[in-house]
Amino acid sequence: MIQTVIKRDGRIVGFNDQKIQAAIRKAMLHTEKGEDEQLIVRITDFIATKGKTQMSVEDIQDAVEIELMKSSRKDVAQKYIAYRNQRSIARKAKTRDVFMEIVNIRKNDVTRENANMNADTPAGMMMKFASESTKPFVDDYLLSEDVRDAVKHNMIHIHDKDYYPTKSLTCVQHPLDHILNDGFVAGHGSSRPAKRIETAAVLACISLETCQNEMHGGQAIPAFDFYLAPFVRSSYIEEVKTLEKLVNKNLDHLKHADIDDYLEKDLENLEGDERLKQHAINKTVNRVHQAMEAFIHNMNTIHSRGGNQVVFSSVNYGTDTSAEGRCVMRELLKSTYEGVGNGETAIFPIQIWKKKRGVNYLPEDRNYDLYKYACQVTARRFFPNFLNLDATFNQHEKWNANDPERYKWEIATMGCRTRVFENRFGEKTSVGRGNLSFTTINIVKIAIECMNVKSQEDRINLFFAKLDHMLELTARQLDERFQFQKTAFAKQFPLLMTKLWNGCETLNESDTIQSVINQGTLGIGFIGLAECLVALTGKHHGESKKSQELGLKIVTYMRDRANDFSEKYQHNYSILATPAEGLSGRFTKIDRKEFGIIPGVTDRDYYTNSNHVPVYYKCSARHKAEVEAPYHILTRGGHIFYVEIDGDATHNPEAIMGVVDMMDKLNMGYGSVNHNRNRCMDCGYENAEPNLEACPKCGSHHIDRLQRITGYLVGTTDRWNHGKLAELNDRVQHNL
C-alpha cells in the first residue's frame, strides 16, 4: 500500500488518493461519456493497495495510465495522457521563454542582470543558459522547504544562487607576495617567481584572472603598493647592471644607494655617479609606468568566466611610504589619469586609496602629495575610491608605522563594498580571506505587511517580530550553504586553496576545505531601508529624524542578531549593506504586483540601495553623509557612501578632498564620488560637457554616460537593467 509520495522537487509527502480521483475525473469530464464514479474508485483503490510503500508522482501517473488503458474507457486514457503532456510542456514553458529571450538577445532583466557581463556573445549566452537552468535545480534539491518558500515569496534573495552547486566561495583578498615570491601552477604550466616589475604586474593579472574562474565574486589585492615595491628596486638594480656593462666598471655602490623618490629628471646638468644613478632611476620609472599601464589594460581586456567577462578586480594602496611603493602608486595613478586605448576611462580594477593620518592625509605626511594626486585622478576617472583607515572600526591594535608588513593589519575592501576584517577563528586581517556567501532580506516587504496595523507602536513591534523570524531563517540558510561548501575538495580550487586562502598550505588536494573556510564571512544583507521606513512611518530617514532613529534601531538589531548567530553557529556573520543591481528592481516588481502602487514605497522601479538616502531626494552632501555615516559601523560586511556632484570635476580635486574630509569627520568607512562623464561609444572620446549629443572627435551621435551602477563602473548603460536605469535617471546632485 502506498504510504508516501516523492514529488518532482524531491520532497516526500503523505499519499492522498483524492489527487488520483481528481485527475481521472478531470479527464472524464473532457469526454462525451462523462464521469464514471465506480471506475474512478476502482482504479484508485487498486493503485493505492497494490502500489509500493513509497512511489514517485511519475510512477503513480504511469499506473493510472495502464489501468485506464485496461478498462473500457480508452477515451479517458487518451485525455489523461494528453493532459499529462500539457502539464509537462507547461512546466517547461517558463524555461523555454527565458531561453528564447537569451537566444534572441533581448534586452531584459535576465540578460542584463549583470552590467559587466555581455550576455549577447556565445560565451555569455552559454553562461546565461547554465545560470537559468541551475537556479531551479537549487530551489528543488539544495534548499530546505522554508527557505525555498521564503525565496518564492520574495522575502529573501540568495546571491549567486546559480553557483550554489559548485560549492564556490564569493571573494578573496590575494596575498600577492605568495605568488610573486614563490610562483604558482595554473592550468597546464607553472609560473616562476617574479624578478622584475613587468613580470610582477603580469603575475598580479594572472592571479586575479585565474582565481576569478574558481569563485563567483570579486578578486582584490589588499596592498598593491607593498607587494610590487620590491620589484621596483630589483628593476632599478637591473638598470644599474646594464650601465656597468656600458661604462665597464663596478657600480655596486649605486645598486643599494639611498633613493628618496623615483622621479624622472633631466640628465643635462648631472655628472659622474649622480648622472648614472639618475639615468637608472629614469629608466626604472619608465618601466614601472609601462608595467602599470599594461596591468590596467590587461584588467580591462582579459576575459574570465568562459571568455565572457573581465575580472571583477580591485586594488588597495596608499600607505607604503618607501620610495619604491610611492613609485608604484604614482605610475598607477598616472596611467589611470591618461586612460586606456583611445584615452577612455578604465572600468577595472576598482582602485581604492587607503587614507591614513600620519601616512598620507595631512600636509606633513610622507604620502600627502600622492593623496592629492589621487583626488585629481578621481576627479577625472571616478577612481580611486577612498577607504578610511582612521574610522574607529577600521583600526587594528597591531598596526605600527615602523612595521614593514603593516599592511597585514590594514583593512582592505573590494568591489562595490565587500568588507572582511574581524575574525573569530584566526588573525584579524583582510589578507587571505573573503566572503563565503551572502543573502539579502527584503525588509520593505516585511514593512508593507505591517502597514495595516493602525497603532505605530504595534506596527513597529510586529515588524521587528517578522524581521527576527527572517533573520533566523537567513542565518540558518547561510549555515546550510556553508555545510555544503565545506565538503568541496581543495583540488576543486587549484589556486585559491594552494596559494591564497589563509591556512590552505595545510591542505592536500584530496582534503576538503572544511578546516580553513570558517575564517571567511557569511553576509546577511538588506536593501530598501528608505522604503521600509516610509511604509512604517510615512517618511524616510533623510527627511525625518524619527525615521532615522528607527532606521538605526533596525540595523542595530540586525547587527546584534548577527553577533548572536556567530555564537550559535560558530561562523563570522556580518551585516551587509547590499549592493543591489538586478535585485533592486526584482524585489520591487514582485512586491508591486502583490501590493499595488504604494506612494514612496513601490511607486518607482527600484528599491533604494541598502541604507542610502534615496537618489531622488534633494539634499546637501553633508546632510546625506550625516544620515548615512552611523550605518557604517553597523554594517561590517560592507558599505559605501556616494556623493553625486554636478558638472566637470576634472579641475576640481578639492571637491573630492572635501568628501574625504566629511568621511574623516563623520567616522565613515568607505566612499566615492560620482560626476558627469560622457563617452563616445565609437571612438572612445570622453568629456564632461552637459547634454553632449555629437562627439567632437569623430562626429558620432552614439554617446553614452559613464556611471557607477552599484560600486563599479560600467562602460555603457546599454547593459543596465530596467530598475537601475530608472534609478540612474532619478539621481540628483548633492551640493558640497
Side-chain angles (χ1 to χ4, degrees):
M1 180 177 289
I2 304 174
Q3 298 292 330
T4 56
V5 177
I6 305 172
K7 295 178 69 66
R8 288 183 180 87
D9 61 8
R11 287 179 292 156
I12 297 174
V13 298
F15 174 64
N16 182 355
D17 63 357
Q18 294 298 313
K19 292 192 174 183
I20 296 178
Q21 292 187 19
I24 299 173
R25 186 175 291 109
K26 187 175 292 185
M28 286 180 169
L29 290 173
H30 286 82
T31 64
E32 290 184 4
K33 295 181 180 180
E35 288 185 60
D36 183 339
E37 191 65 29
Q38 187 176 3
L39 180 61
I40 292 173
V41 173
R42 181 169 63 80
I43 291 176
T44 302
D45 289 346
F46 179 83
I47 292 172
T49 56
K50 298 297 183 182
K52 297 178 182 178
T53 304
Q54 185 176 85
M55 295 181 69
S56 69
V57 170
E58 293 290 340
D59 288 342
I60 293 173
Q61 290 180 340
D62 288 344
V64 172
E65 280 188 23
I66 292 170
E67 294 306 312
L68 283 172
M69 289 299 293
K70 288 179 182 178
S71 75
S72 60
R73 297 294 300 271
K74 303 292 189 296
D75 56 335
V76 179
Q78 290 175 347
K79 293 295 182 181
Y80 184 83
I81 292 168
Y83 176 72
R84 282 189 71 186
N85 289 336
Q86 289 171 1
R87 290 294 299 158
S88 178
I89 291 169
R91 281 191 292 271
K92 296 175 182 176
K94 184 177 180 181
T95 299
R96 177 193 176 279
D97 290 345
V98 170
F99 274 29
M100 291 309 298
E101 296 284 302
I102 299 169
V103 169
N104 294 320
I105 59 172
R106 298 275 172 78
K107 293 181 183 178
N108 57 36
D109 289 350
V110 172
T111 60
R112 298 298 182 263
E113 185 178 22
N114 183 330
N116 270 310
M117 177 186 291
N118 186 353
D120 298 343
T121 65
M125 292 169 75
M126 280 299 297
M127 283 198 66
K128 291 307 297 179
F129 287 140
S131 175
E132 296 307 315
S133 300
T134 305
K135 290 173 185 176
F137 170 79
V138 175
D139 289 337
D140 291 345
Y141 299 107
L142 298 180
L143 301 183
S144 55
E145 187 170 355
D146 54 351
V147 170
R148 180 171 54 247
D149 188 64
V151 172
K152 179 181 178 182
H153 289 92
N154 208 38
M155 299 304 299
I156 65 171
H157 176 79
I158 299 172
H159 292 267
D160 301 291
K161 189 168 69 173
D162 47 348
Y163 278 87
Y164 199 125
T166 71
K167 305 179 184 179
S168 67
L169 315 182
T170 303
C171 56
V172 68
Q173 291 277 358
H174 291 227
L176 192 62
D177 52 340
H178 296 181
I179 301 293
L180 300 180
N181 298 332
D182 304 329
F184 70 104
V185 176
H188 300 289
S190 60
S191 296
R192 294 188 298 271
K195 292 182 179 179
R196 51 187 63 88
I197 189 62
E198 295 89 347
T199 310
V202 169
L203 287 179
C205 292
I206 295 173
S207 177
L208 294 168
E209 180 200 14
T210 302
C211 198
Q212 182 72 91
N213 285 308
E214 299 179 14
M215 307 185 78
H216 55 256
Q219 308 301 314
I221 298 174
F224 191 72
D225 42 357
F226 282 91
Y227 290 140
L228 268 65
F231 303 97
V232 176
R233 191 69 183 202
S234 62
S235 299
Y236 163 78
I237 292 172
E238 277 189 341
E239 295 300 331
V240 174
K241 288 180 178 178
T242 301
L243 286 174
E244 283 183 322
K245 295 176 182 177
L246 288 174
V247 300
N248 196 26
K249 69 176 185 178
N250 185 293
L251 297 176
D252 282 351
H253 59 292
L254 292 183
K255 294 174 186 174
H256 303 288
D258 290 337
I259 298 175
D260 181 65
D261 218 344
Y262 286 78
L263 297 172
E264 283 191 276
K265 294 180 182 177
D266 196 328
L267 302 178
E268 187 175 346
N269 298 318
L270 301 178
E271 296 180 355
D273 283 355
E274 191 177 359
R275 182 183 179 89
L276 294 173
K277 179 183 176 183
Q278 188 59 52
H279 176 79
I281 289 174
N282 289 353
K283 295 286 284 186
T284 302
V285 170
N286 184 258
R287 288 175 60 181
V288 175
H289 184 82
Q290 290 183 325
M292 296 303 100
E293 197 172 56
F295 176 76
I296 295 172
H297 183 270
N298 286 337
M299 297 319 301
N300 286 276
T301 55
I302 295 177
H303 285 144
S304 64
R305 291 181 177 172
N308 166 62
Q309 178 179 308
V310 294
V311 183
F312 274 82
S313 56
S314 305
V315 294
N316 295 256
Y317 58 86
T319 57
D320 187 345
T321 55
S322 71
E324 291 76 17
R326 285 170 53 80
C327 182
V328 169
M329 287 183 267
R330 185 183 292 112
E331 301 312 316
L332 179 66
L333 288 167
K334 279 185 180 179
S335 297
T336 305
Y337 189 85
E338 291 165 0
V340 296
N342 292 313
E344 59 264 31
T345 297
I347 304 302
F348 288 106
I350 296 173
Q351 297 182 38
I352 301 157
W353 177 269
K354 297 195 289 187
K355 166 256 178 191
K356 179 72 175 173
R357 287 173 176 270
V359 177
N360 57 32
Y361 180 59
L362 303 175
E364 63 270 21
D365 293 343
R366 164 76 165 161
N367 285 357
Y368 182 71
D369 59 328
L370 294 177
Y371 163 60
K372 288 175 63 179
Y373 188 36
C375 292
Q376 183 181 340
V377 175
T378 297
R380 185 181 188 189
R381 299 297 188 184
F382 292 87
F383 294 138
N385 297 341
F386 295 90
L387 177 60
N388 184 13
L389 300 190
D390 294 311
T392 54
F393 47 90
N394 283 345
Q395 297 178 25
H396 198 300
E397 56 277 4
K398 287 188 177 181
W399 192 90
N400 187 314
N402 298 317
D403 181 359
E405 293 188 333
R406 57 188 175 277
Y407 62 84
K408 292 180 178 179
W409 320 122
E410 294 174 355
I411 189 170
T413 191
M414 70 171 71
C416 309
R417 63 198 68 194
T418 307
R419 179 187 182 278
V420 175
F421 199 35
E422 296 80 13
N423 187 7
R424 291 168 179 262
F425 308 101
E427 194 70 67
K428 177 183 175 181
T429 182
S430 296
V431 181
R433 300 175 60 220
N435 179 257
L436 304 175
S437 62
F438 64 100
T439 295
T440 292
I441 299 174
N442 186 354
I443 61 173
V444 186
K445 181 172 184 180
I446 297 174
I448 292 173
E449 291 180 341
C450 302
M451 286 182 69
N452 291 330
V453 178
K454 291 185 178 180
S455 165
Q456 187 173 93
E457 182 180 354
D458 292 342
R459 186 187 318 136
I460 292 172
N461 287 339
L462 178 61
F463 170 83
F464 274 100
K466 286 176 171 284
L467 175 63
D468 188 75
H469 171 71
M470 205 49 58
L471 286 166
E472 287 274 4
L473 182 141
T474 302
R476 178 164 54 78
Q477 178 269 312
L478 287 166
D479 175 65
E480 289 170 356
R481 188 170 185 175
F482 175 91
Q483 301 304 328
F484 184 65
Q485 288 171 312
K486 76 179 186 182
T487 63
F489 295 102
K491 64 183 178 183
Q492 293 179 251
F493 311 104
L495 179 60
L496 178 66
M497 289 299 164
T498 58
K499 292 291 184 182
L500 302 180
W501 197 269
N502 280 352
C504 67
E505 66 278 0
T506 65
L507 300 177
N508 296 314
E509 66 172 21
S510 58
D511 292 337
T512 69
I513 62 175
Q514 176 178 355
S515 63
V516 300
I517 66 168
N518 211 27
Q519 292 195 62
T521 63
L522 297 174
I524 300 175
F526 68 95
I527 65 169
L529 180 65
E531 289 78 13
C532 168
L533 293 171
V534 171
L536 292 174
T537 70
K539 293 184 177 181
H540 61 71
H541 52 324
E543 58 186 347
S544 164
K545 288 185 177 180
K546 286 189 176 180
S547 294
Q548 168 74 337
E549 290 173 3
L550 178 58
L552 289 171
K553 183 179 178 181
I554 290 169
V555 181
T556 299
Y557 184 80
M558 295 178 73
R559 188 275 315 274
D560 292 344
R561 294 297 282 134
N563 291 338
D564 294 340
F565 300 141
S566 295
E567 290 295 327
K568 178 179 179 180
Y569 293 102
Q570 287 297 293
H571 300 314
N572 288 310
Y573 283 95
S574 56
I575 298 300
L576 171 72
T578 298
E581 186 179 334
L583 180 59
S584 64
R586 178 183 171 276
F587 267 172
T588 314
K589 183 179 180 180
I590 297 172
D591 286 349
R592 183 190 295 159
K593 186 176 181 180
E594 181 177 354
F595 300 105
I597 296 176
I598 304 171
V601 183
T602 62
D603 56 346
R604 286 180 165 82
D605 291 331
Y606 58 90
Y607 286 153
T608 298
N609 216 327
S610 61
N611 52 251
H612 294 178
V613 171
V615 297
Y616 54 81
Y617 183 66
K618 293 185 178 181
C619 63
S620 67
R622 179 74 185 196
H623 177 72
K624 186 176 190 293
E626 288 174 343
V627 172
E628 295 181 15
Y631 294 94
H632 282 209
I633 197 171
L634 302 172
T635 50
R636 303 290 182 95
H639 46 247
I640 195 167
F641 165 66
Y642 294 119
V643 170
E644 300 276 344
I645 63 175
D646 194 11
D648 187 357
T650 305
H651 307 295
N652 190 16
E654 292 79 13
I656 311 299
M657 297 178 76
V659 172
V660 179
D661 287 344
M662 278 195 293
M663 291 174 58
D664 179 74
K665 290 182 175 64
L666 296 172
N667 202 38
M668 303 183 88
Y670 183 44
S672 62
V673 179
N674 291 339
H675 46 82
N676 187 50
R677 196 82 187 158
N678 304 305
R679 170 178 283 184
C680 174
M681 301 309 295
D682 291 327
C683 74
Y685 176 82
E686 290 181 12
N687 71 11
E689 182 182 322
N691 305 315
L692 182 68
E693 294 184 1
C695 174
K697 183 177 179 180
C698 72
S700 170
H701 290 271
H702 191 191
I703 307 296
D704 204 351
R705 274 191 289 174
L706 184 65
Q707 272 287 358
R708 298 180 205 269
I709 188 164
T710 52
Y712 58 86
L713 293 176
V714 179
T716 170
T717 56
D718 186 54
R719 295 185 191 168
W720 288 38
N721 62 61
H722 181 73
K724 293 308 287 187
L725 279 173
E727 187 219 80
L728 174 63
N729 292 328
D730 283 350
R731 292 179 185 178
V732 297
Q733 277 78 40
H734 304 106
N735 297 323
L736 295 173

